Amino acid sequence: MPPLAPPLLEWYAHAARDLPWRSADVTPWAVLVSEVMLQQTPVARVLPAYSAWLSRWPTPADLAADAPGEAVRMWGRLGYPRRALRLHAAAVQIRDRHRGAVPADPAELEALPGIGVYTARAVAAFAFGRRVPVVDTNVRRVLARAVTGVGEAGPPSATRELAAVEALLPEEPRTAARFSVAVMELGALVCVAGRPRCASCPIAAECAWRLAGWPAYAGRPARAQRFAGTDRQVRGLLLALVRESTEPVSKPRLDGVWVHATQRERALAGLLTDGLLTELADGRYALPGG
Ligand code: SF4
């Protein structure tokens, strides 16, 4: 077994957070939903949305039978609402092409709408115990520090990083999957962005960056993402108004959410193009129907 695995697995056994998508009886569909929700949203905000979603749609067929607009409505304020539409489209494909069962093969998972390299491998590993490398932001950071010996992950390179993580995986598939989630948990709780908590790190003795004396990062710093005043913020305001309304919304009401007309119109046009809103024959706006 590679040297990082034993101490990490031992640490994970007592330090891991008790999250519902990690329970022993979780379904592959629940794992898929959790992974899509967690793509760009913190755990604390995902937890209530995850429970509500699975209570309403416990299987892909349940979601596929409902209108895409209901998925957008249930998505609430999780952000990046195109994920809701894609998850609905994925549920339709799972029902129609996979007899209602989430596929276990990463290539088949990646063929589903909205499922990228990371999510496909995460579902294959965490729902089906496959031995596949899983690389997210936390894993990239731990890899950069513990293995490469630099303070931050450089520009992403899926091929290089997947190969590097695969080389660390234990042979036994379920242990490999557990190792992957342990690395992610270490990145979330201990080897955090900014100042890592090396004093309580289970792999401190092996960490190349620590052993080198934490040399300063010489690469380009990551760009901070701005939200206030962006088209994304305006899209969120427009969509929230329609989502929270019990009937279609008139254009003058939508115009009230943002003062700058050019940006507002651009955001509205984007929502229509993405299929998150539809314009009705009477000129009002609604969530997409069936
Ligand atoms: S010793 Fe510090 S830098 Fe290295 S993996 Fe652990 S927390 Fe991260």
Side-chain angles (χ1 to χ4, degrees):
M1 197 181 280
L4 295 185
L8 253 180
L9 290 168
E10 194 185 321
W11 169 81
Y12 182 77
H14 66 80
R17 290 168 292 177
D18 182 15
L19 298 171
W21 44 87
R22 292 178 181 167
S23 72
D25 59 350
V26 71
T27 65
W29 170 240
V31 173
L32 176 59
V33 169
S34 73
E35 289 296 341
V36 172
M37 288 185 170
L38 289 163
Q39 278 166 9
Q40 277 140 324
T41 310
V43 166
R45 280 173 59 207
V46 165
L47 282 168
Y50 167 88
S51 303
W53 188 279
L54 288 168
S55 297
R56 181 164 177 186
W57 299 306
T59 70
D62 294 322
L63 174 58
D66 231 327
E70 285 308 299
V72 176
R73 195 184 301 281
M74 281 292 282
W75 200 254
R77 295 183 176 275
L78 284 179
Y80 298 97
R82 269 178 285 186
R83 289 182 291 169
L85 279 184
R86 294 201 190 114
L87 195 48
H88 183 276
V92 171
Q93 280 201 17
I94 292 168
R95 180 194 64 191
D96 296 347
R97 298 187 191 170
H98 300 281
R99 298 181 180 179
V102 174
D105 180 65
E108 288 186 335
L109 283 159
E110 237 184 283
L112 296 171
I115 306 299
V117 172
Y118 163 75
T119 308
R121 279 154 187 76
V123 173
F126 306 146
F128 297 102
R130 294 277 183 106
R131 185 184 182 278
V132 285
V134 183
V135 180
D136 74 344
T137 313
N138 285 330
V139 174
R140 294 182 67 238
R141 185 170 56 256
V142 174
L143 193 69
R145 290 171 174 173
V147 178
T148 314
V150 294
E152 290 179 32
S157 160
T159 316
R160 178 169 48 79
E161 287 161 356
L162 286 171
V165 171
E166 179 146 28
L168 299 173
L169 290 180
E171 277 309 313
E172 199 278 312
R174 294 217 168 254
T175 311
R178 205 165 163 77
F179 171 77
S180 292
V181 75
V183 179
M184 291 168 71
E185 193 74 338
L186 188 80
L189 300 181
V190 178
C191 195
V192 293
R195 186 175 298 209
R197 299 169 185 134
C198 302
S200 51
C201 177
I203 55 169
E206 283 82 25
C207 174
W209 192 44
R210 190 193 69 85
L211 292 171
W214 300 282
Y217 181 64
R220 267 186 296 162
R223 271 191 306 148
Q225 285 196 358
R226 189 172 62 94
F227 177 66
T230 60
D231 284 8
R232 196 160 79 77
Q233 184 189 15
V234 185
R235 284 166 60 105
L237 292 169
L238 292 167
L239 190 58
L241 184 63
V242 179
R243 194 179 57 228
E244 285 155 19
S245 171
T246 51
E247 55 185 31
V249 175
S250 68
K251 184 69 167 49
R253 279 189 66 206
L254 284 178
D255 288 347
V257 306
W258 194 252
V259 69
H260 301 297
T262 308
Q263 190 179 25
R264 192 180 63 229
E265 294 305 321
R266 190 169 62 229
L268 180 58
L271 289 169
L272 292 168
T273 305
D274 289 343
L276 287 162
L277 287 184
T278 53
E279 185 176 2
L280 306 179
D282 64 5
R284 292 184 300 164
Y285 293 82
L287 295 174

